[in-house]
Amino acid sequence: MTATSPSRPPLPPNISTKSSSTASLSQLSAVAGSKTSSSAPRASSRVPPATRRDVPIQDPTSESATLSLIRRTLVTDGSHGADPRASPRPIEGILPPLTSSNEVDVQLYAIVAIIIKDFVNSWYSKITPDRTFIDEVIQIIAHCSRALEQRVRQIDVTEMLLDELPVLVERHIHAYRISTTAQAALQYGESPRRIYHSLNPHPALDLSLTAEEQRLRESAYRQLLIQGALAVLLPTEDLANACLRTLVTDIIADLILGQALAERVCQPWFLHGAVSKVVEIVTSAPSKAAANKAILQQQGRQSRLEQFGLLTANKAHQKGHSSNRSQSLLSAWFWTLLQYAFVAYQSMRFILVGMAHAQTLPTRVRSRGVDTTAAPSPSKGNSPSSVHGKPDPDGSGTRAILDYRVFSCISTILDLSIRMPWLAASLSFWQHILVDGLGGYGSASSTLDKFLYHNLSSRVLSPSLLPPLLLQVRATLFPNNSIGPPAPPPPSVEEAKFIRSRAARGILSLFPQPVARKLFAASGGDEQEIQEAMSTEVEDSILCWTNDVHLNKHLIYSILEHIILRLVPEMEGKTPSEILADRGIVLDDEEMVLVDIERNGKM
């Protein structure tokens, strides 16, 4: 009994005779495949591995990957419309708004999606496919974010970032340098951490506890902050839902503030890497522009004979040397002078136009805190109440831009009082003349002050910079859009040293070479030795106060506490249970985490 081969349909008439051999080969392959189909599995239609390697991997921070992550995690089934071929609805039309900016909402929802995916869906999807609980969590987060945005609009963000937070940084640097001096070690005979904690204490950190007790104390402190903030921001019906309130508190306190802030941001290698990234962002665009300008100048110097190939390379080289040797110095001086003149003209035009516009701006009336120039009380430690105050409607407490503590903080970071005391004294003298001298040209609400404030708030601290900043935060804290295993392991000791050295070289690149050599006292030796000496000096003097993870937690927790109290001043002097009692909600002892911080002290 002979096997009949499967009948093949006739070829279309438009197939030429040149493809007959190909058709016969296909027929033989089909017959061979029919004979072995009973014993061999069917061939896969996937792309071969060699071909798949050529497909580029999608960037997890790209717009398409971000929107896909949000839709997969936060958008319920059926939200894309009845027709599957229809284009998906925009995110702002499906999810509740978080802020007044769609670009900011996308970046915030991406962070929320990562947390929901790795923290909630990992166990909630095993219980039930219902997404009602996830939708309620999203509604609570949206309500809190909109309430926070309204509170951000009521405070002076420029003053908080440039005047209040630098106080905490400057205090941290002073306490670190005092605790690490040899005189302090000889006098107290204790570790630098204990000396630092005595100078700059924080209720969440205690050296007398074990590692596990310290971890629980920090967790309770973060829970206390978030519970107090949610007790003010959430509506009453959401506060009454203990399950939702506890879940949102755990997400923010343990994941965002615990894993991301306390375990990563406080690490020295993370702070040094952040410095390198900031320097790269600042210096990348000018370097590319300078490279393109050099290429264009080099192309423009070519003669027409050389462009059309009528002049050989050797003759062109000899001609260039003979003709340009006498003009190179004069040409370089001329173009440098022209460039400086153009920069000076643009700067003067910017200042004059800006000062003329500043005269029409309204008088600055901002909330003003307690005078931060006074020495901090040792009993208060890092409490933000020492730099946080009440609104001053008369404007008498408005601080001048030139009197902001960010300038003093920069001087402390560079240690100008030791390196160049004459420079620090000269800058302080001119600051005093402009702010408190005759005429008050730089005093609060003066023309110069309004000009500086307008440019800082509209250009340096522009709201348009927030989406890219959130994108960088997400890429740094959550690599590959995940919290867990995809995150890279901590660097080794040698890698951490390399990261710190790279950050030091990045800081040096911000200074002109003559200024860097004067500031960091580098002289003698060849160029490589000078650069290594300056890099070592930057590591030992500027980056040294970020080398201890425990001391970094003092600074990070102080900044976090100050920002929360600035946005939610109702928490000052009250515990979360007292705030909830004022709103008519009484909790059991097992529902609210009441730690020693709450029982023995106020915020």
Side-chain angles (χ1 to χ4, degrees), residues 158 162 401 404 407 451-462:
T158 304
L162 300 181
I401 296 294
Y404 274 4
F407 303 107
F451 166 74
L452 295 175
Y453 182 84
H454 174 73
N455 285 278
L456 284 175
S457 58
S458 61
R459 298 176 184 271
V460 181
L461 303 176
S462 174

Side-chain angles (χ1 to χ4, degrees), residues 408-439:
S408 175
C409 182
I410 295 175
S411 176
T412 302
I413 292 175
L414 297 177
D415 204 6
L416 287 183
S417 60
I418 302 298
R419 299 180 181 276
M420 294 183 175
W422 59 269
L423 179 60
S426 300
L427 294 177
S428 299
F429 172 76
W430 287 110
Q431 180 188 28
H432 173 73
I433 291 297
L434 290 174
V435 175
D436 300 324
L438 295 177

Side-chain angles (χ1 to χ4, degrees), residues 271-436:
L271 296 176
H272 299 158
V275 171
S276 300
K277 289 184 178 180
V278 171
V279 172
E280 182 180 357
I281 293 174
V282 172
T283 59
S284 60
S287 62
K288 293 180 180 179
N292 296 334
K293 182 179 179 181
I295 293 175
L296 292 177
Q297 288 179 352
Q298 183 178 4
Q299 292 176 353
R301 293 193 189 101
Q302 295 178 350
S303 63
R304 297 182 62 86
L305 293 177
E306 186 179 355
Q307 290 178 2
F308 288 101
L310 301 178
L311 188 64
T312 61
N314 293 333
K315 291 182 179 180
H317 183 71
Q318 294 174 2
K319 182 180 178 180
H321 268 283
S322 60
S323 61
N324 293 334
R325 185 173 300 173
S326 60
Q327 300 179 0
S328 59
L329 185 60
L330 181 61
S331 176
W333 278 101
F334 173 75
W335 287 109
T336 302
L337 181 62
L338 187 62
Q339 182 181 7
Y340 283 143
F342 178 76
V343 171
Y345 167 75
Q346 291 292 338
S347 302
M348 291 298 298
R349 182 177 179 273
F350 172 76
I351 293 175
L352 294 178
V353 173
M355 293 286 286
H357 174 68
Q359 294 180 354
T360 63
L361 296 176
T363 303
R364 287 182 54 206
V365 179
R366 294 292 185 269
S367 61
R368 180 62 210 147
V370 179
D371 187 9
T372 56
T373 58
S377 175
S379 61
K380 292 184 179 181
N382 254 356
S383 176
S385 60
S386 59
V387 293
H388 173 72
K390 305 303 179 182
D392 187 2
D394 298 333
S396 58
T398 304
R399 197 181 189 90
I401 296 294
L402 293 177
D403 204 22
Y404 274 4
R405 289 297 294 268
V406 64
F407 303 107
S408 175
C409 182
I410 295 175
S411 176
T412 302
I413 292 175
L414 297 177
D415 204 6
L416 287 183
S417 60
I418 302 298
R419 299 180 181 276
M420 294 183 175
W422 59 269
L423 179 60
S426 300
L427 294 177
S428 299
F429 172 76
W430 287 110
Q431 180 188 28
H432 173 73
I433 291 297
L434 290 174
V435 175
D436 300 324

Side-chain angles (χ1 to χ4, degrees), residues 124-379:
Y124 185 75
S125 59
K126 300 177 182 178
I127 301 176
T128 176
D130 186 19
R131 297 181 55 88
T132 304
F133 184 72
I134 304 298
D135 295 338
E136 292 182 0
V137 172
I138 296 174
Q139 291 291 341
I140 290 179
I141 295 176
H143 187 279
C144 292
S145 64
R146 290 194 298 266
L148 285 176
E149 184 186 17
Q150 295 297 326
R151 291 172 176 266
V152 168
R153 296 178 183 274
Q154 297 175 2
I155 67 173
D156 192 348
V157 179
T158 304
E159 184 177 358
M160 182 182 69
L161 295 179
L162 300 181
D163 186 38
E164 299 173 7
L165 296 185
V167 175
L168 304 178
V169 178
E170 190 175 359
R171 183 181 298 163
H172 168 78
I173 296 175
H174 281 306
Y176 176 85
R177 288 176 176 170
I178 293 175
S179 62
T180 54
T181 56
Q183 292 83 358
L186 291 175
Q187 183 176 0
Y188 296 98
E190 296 180 346
S191 64
R193 288 186 176 182
R194 190 168 299 279
I195 299 174
Y196 177 94
H197 189 77
S198 300
L199 297 172
N200 198 14
H202 195 277
L205 302 170
D206 191 352
L207 295 176
S208 62
L209 302 177
T210 62
E212 182 63 20
E213 292 174 346
Q214 179 60 46
R215 186 186 64 82
L216 294 177
R217 186 180 182 89
E218 292 182 28
S219 177
Y221 170 77
R222 295 191 299 266
Q223 291 271 343
L224 176 65
L225 287 179
I226 302 304
Q227 287 174 1
L230 293 180
V232 176
L233 299 176
L234 287 180
T236 306
E237 56 271 15
D238 291 331
L239 282 176
N241 192 336
C243 182
L244 282 176
R245 186 182 64 251
T246 303
L247 180 62
V248 174
T249 301
D250 290 340
I251 289 176
I252 300 177
D254 294 335
L255 285 180
I256 299 179
L257 301 184
Q259 295 188 13
L261 192 66
E263 296 182 7
R264 292 184 64 86
V265 177
C266 294
Q267 296 293 335
W269 54 265
F270 183 90
L271 296 176
H272 299 158
V275 171
S276 300
K277 289 184 178 180
V278 171
V279 172
E280 182 180 357
I281 293 174
V282 172
T283 59
S284 60
S287 62
K288 293 180 180 179
N292 296 334
K293 182 179 179 181
I295 293 175
L296 292 177
Q297 288 179 352
Q298 183 178 4
Q299 292 176 353
R301 293 193 189 101
Q302 295 178 350
S303 63
R304 297 182 62 86
L305 293 177
E306 186 179 355
Q307 290 178 2
F308 288 101
L310 301 178
L311 188 64
T312 61
N314 293 333
K315 291 182 179 180
H317 183 71
Q318 294 174 2
K319 182 180 178 180
H321 268 283
S322 60
S323 61
N324 293 334
R325 185 173 300 173
S326 60
Q327 300 179 0
S328 59
L329 185 60
L330 181 61
S331 176
W333 278 101
F334 173 75
W335 287 109
T336 302
L337 181 62
L338 187 62
Q339 182 181 7
Y340 283 143
F342 178 76
V343 171
Y345 167 75
Q346 291 292 338
S347 302
M348 291 298 298
R349 182 177 179 273
F350 172 76
I351 293 175
L352 294 178
V353 173
M355 293 286 286
H357 174 68
Q359 294 180 354
T360 63
L361 296 176
T363 303
R364 287 182 54 206
V365 179
R366 294 292 185 269
S367 61
R368 180 62 210 147
V370 179
D371 187 9
T372 56
T373 58
S377 175
S379 61

